[in-house]
Amino acid sequence: MALQTANAGIHYNFINGEWCASSSNQTITNVSPSNTKDVVGVVQKSTLEDLNQAAASAKESEKAWRKLTGNERAAFLYKAADLLEDRIDEVANCMAREMGKSLGESKGETARGVAILRYYAGEGLREVGDVIPSTDPDALMFTTRVPLGVVGVITPWNFPVAIPIWKTAPALIYGNTVVLKPATEAAVTCAKVIECFADAGIPAGVLNMVTGRGAVIGQGMADHSDINGLTFTGSNQVGKQIGQSVLARGGKYQLEMGGKNPVIVASDADIDLAVDATISGGIRSTGQKCTATSRVIIQNEIYEQFKDKLIQKVKNIKVGDSLDEETWMGPSASEGQLNTVLSYIEKGKREGAFLLTGGERLSGPEYDHGFYIEPTVFEGVTNEMTIAQEEIFGPVLALMKVDTLEEGLKLANDVDYGLSASIFTKDIRKMLEFIEEMEAGLVRVNAESAGVELQAPFGGMKQSSSHSREQGQAAKEFFTSIKTVFIK
Ligand code: NAD
């Protein structure tokens, strides 16, 4: 059923340039984790039939889209960026309500979405290949890049604007068409981003969105023979399964997954800076960032001083409704997420870690209608404990004491993940040793573990990624294939 537009709190799939209800006639209702009485919107519970239609329309439109010049494709991205900028308050408000990110952070993320769109629009006029000297004096040899065809995009709920855009924008500018499946928990916010593309007049079929259950639509995309490349961000468990499915049918895939990110606080660190960055990196967004600081490895000499300052500040964090301007930390994004975090806290206690602050679900009139949790800090955490090894995705910090930097680095690397890591030190030798030894795709010195600038490559080592990179110029590697040309 084709409808004019998304309205009345109901959000439709976007297939072949039209807003459509799912063939299932079933929907999913999203409520706010800040207040479950607040219904944010209703999205489609789609079927494989809906997905097939989206993939068919993406395939159908691929040739004409690829034939446009980069500059012509860029015009749609610039227009979508302008529309998103105009709607920044509306989109940020929706994000804050739907997944509980504070309003300030939600605005920041939406503004970043605008910047990413403009960055990739600029790619429409940049070089796509190299001239390579031939050994034949009568030949011209060069490389060019061609799109993959139809690209599937599967995204998590924790960055509902930035991640769909940082995958979709490069896919489009390099000439691919897209089928996007956002995380159900944040699909209303993502639908608002797609509305910007729709209102920018993107040609029918070039960008499609299908909402629904991961096990149905996500897996359906992984298995779909018309989807030539699939880019996924989410948990390791799901990512590995998707990767195997795409590999089995010879498709191209990219997986960006979890983290267990350390910060090392060296004995010569600026302690106030390290404390603020540890809190910002670990607790902002309720700890729900793949790059969130989780393990805090502190040298003995400054341990007590760092701990005292940290605890004092953590206790003063204002937790509340994500729409409240005073709120620094909103709720967990869902009841399931809250329960996961609480179960990790219980495991921490049971396995012998010492709870310094937090650890409980918040209650009271301000909190009873949402999924609020106290910012939590443990000490006495040893490396074999579950909270030292597994991704928690909540506002939980594990303090670990070491004598030397060497010991700290060993500990920092002794996990399966390798996404991001920080060190706080003024000593250039320590910085260089950290940069050299740290097994992480993103290493930061005197800056929090969370965050990367949009023009720089982003991705993990070890179990955090399929070893590919997103963002900046690195995106070109996934979203295109190199063609080597020889002209005699
Ligand atoms: P998730 O793996 O549960 O879901 C991610 C996406 O996959 C969603 O769209 C979901 O609907 C879909 N999905 C779920 N089950 C599926 C299945 N069986 N088959 C196919 N698709 C399925 O992850 P999440 O809870 O939405 O997000 C949190 C995770 O994402 C964390 O592990 C976090 O570290 C990771 N993450 C990583 C990065 C990064 O860039 N490395 C960025 C943000 C989040």
Side-chain angles (χ1 to χ4, degrees), residues 154-158 163 181-183 214-215 218-219 232-235 238 241-242 256-259 290 391 393 419 458:
I154 302 179
T155 55
W157 46 261
N158 66 334
I163 295 182
K181 192 213 87 63
Q219 187 59 43
F232 166 90
T233 296
S235 62
V238 174
Q241 188 189 318
I242 283 179
E256 295 304 334
M257 301 174 287
C290 52
E391 186 183 46
F393 232 50
L419 189 52
F458 176 57

Side-chain angles (χ1 to χ4, degrees), residues 308-326:
D308 292 347
K309 288 188 174 195
L310 181 84
I311 297 302
Q312 199 189 344
K313 287 200 166 172
V314 168
K315 282 185 170 162
N316 283 328
I317 287 175
K318 171 81 180 91
V319 182
D321 190 310
S322 52
L323 287 181
D324 184 341
E325 297 276 358
E326 301 283 293

Side-chain angles (χ1 to χ4, degrees), residues 392-460:
I392 299 174
F393 232 50
V396 181
L397 295 170
L399 306 192
M400 303 164 102
K401 202 191 290 186
V402 291
D403 287 324
T404 62
L405 177 64
E406 199 187 357
E407 198 189 327
L409 275 166
K410 195 160 171 265
L411 198 55
N413 280 329
D414 195 9
V415 284
D416 291 338
Y417 294 103
L419 189 52
S420 72
S422 288
I423 191 168
F424 286 83
T425 178
K426 300 187 194 94
D427 184 337
I428 185 74
R429 283 168 306 180
K430 290 182 183 171
M431 292 177 195
L432 293 175
E433 194 179 341
F434 169 78
I435 293 166
E436 175 75 19
E437 297 296 326
M438 193 66 229
E439 297 161 358
L442 175 66
V443 291
R444 291 165 57 92
V445 177
N446 295 323
E448 68 177 68
S449 68
V452 61
E453 293 191 33
L454 62 94
Q455 68 278 27
F458 176 57

Side-chain angles (χ1 to χ4, degrees), residues 105 261 263 273-296 310 328 394-397 420 422 424 444 447-451:
E105 280 187 274
N261 314 297
V263 52
L273 179 71
V275 164
D276 287 346
T278 300
I279 292 174
S280 179
I283 295 178
R284 215 182 256 284
S285 274
T286 323
Q288 301 170 138
K289 291 182 186 175
C290 52
T291 50
T293 303
S294 179
R295 295 175 299 141
V296 192
L310 181 84
W328 194 86
V396 181
L397 295 170
S420 72
S422 288
F424 286 83
R444 291 165 57 92
E448 68 177 68
S449 68

Side-chain angles (χ1 to χ4, degrees), residues 65-307:
W65 181 247
R66 181 160 42 101
K67 292 268 180 219
L68 294 182
T69 64
N71 200 36
E72 285 168 327
R73 288 194 293 268
F76 295 103
L77 270 64
Y78 279 124
K79 181 82 179 134
D82 291 346
L83 291 169
L84 184 60
E85 193 168 46
D86 290 347
R87 300 172 191 178
I88 203 161
D89 288 332
E90 179 200 336
V91 175
N93 188 283
C94 181
M95 187 193 311
R97 281 172 68 208
E98 193 173 34
M99 56 73 65
K101 197 173 280 194
S102 73
L103 197 54
E105 280 187 274
S106 299
K107 280 186 190 162
E109 182 182 333
T110 312
R112 186 185 174 108
V114 173
I116 296 169
L117 279 166
R118 290 185 177 142
Y119 175 85
Y120 282 113
E123 277 299 284
L125 287 178
R126 292 196 194 105
E127 70 281 1
V128 289
D130 301 306
V131 175
I132 299 160
S134 171
T135 53
D136 183 336
D138 297 326
L140 169 64
M141 189 161 66
F142 61 93
T143 60
T144 184
R145 284 177 180 268
V146 293
L148 301 181
V150 179
V151 166
V153 173
I154 302 179
T155 55
W157 46 261
N158 66 334
F159 286 97
V161 168
I163 295 182
I165 290 180
W166 87 46
K167 290 177 183 293
T168 299
L172 293 175
I173 199 68
Y174 297 127
N176 303 280
T177 55
V178 170
V179 178
L180 162 69
K181 192 213 87 63
T184 313
E185 298 88 334
V188 177
T189 308
C190 189
K192 289 186 180 290
V193 174
I194 302 305
E195 280 174 29
C196 295
F197 282 97
D199 295 348
I202 193 143
V206 167
L207 173 60
N208 305 272
M209 181 189 73
V210 181
T211 59
R213 295 200 28 232
V216 178
I217 307 302
Q219 187 59 43
M221 287 166 75
D223 292 334
H224 208 295
S225 56
D226 285 341
I227 295 183
N228 309 90
L230 194 135
T231 172
F232 166 90
T233 296
S235 62
N236 281 58
Q237 194 194 356
V238 174
K240 281 187 180 161
Q241 188 189 318
I242 283 179
Q244 281 170 4
S245 300
V246 182
L247 181 67
R249 62 175 178 82
K252 189 175 183 182
Y253 65 89
Q254 172 185 49
L255 312 172
E256 295 304 334
M257 301 174 287
K260 190 69 191 167
N261 314 297
V263 52
I264 298 177
V265 188
S267 51
D268 65 313
D270 176 332
I271 293 180
D272 291 315
L273 179 71
V275 164
D276 287 346
T278 300
I279 292 174
S280 179
I283 295 178
R284 215 182 256 284
S285 274
T286 323
Q288 301 170 138
K289 291 182 186 175
C290 52
T291 50
T293 303
S294 179
R295 295 175 299 141
V296 192
I297 299 165
I298 309 145
Q299 271 194 278
N300 230 330
E301 295 95 310
I302 52 147
Y303 182 84
E304 291 301 326
Q305 206 186 341
F306 177 89
K307 177 178 95 177

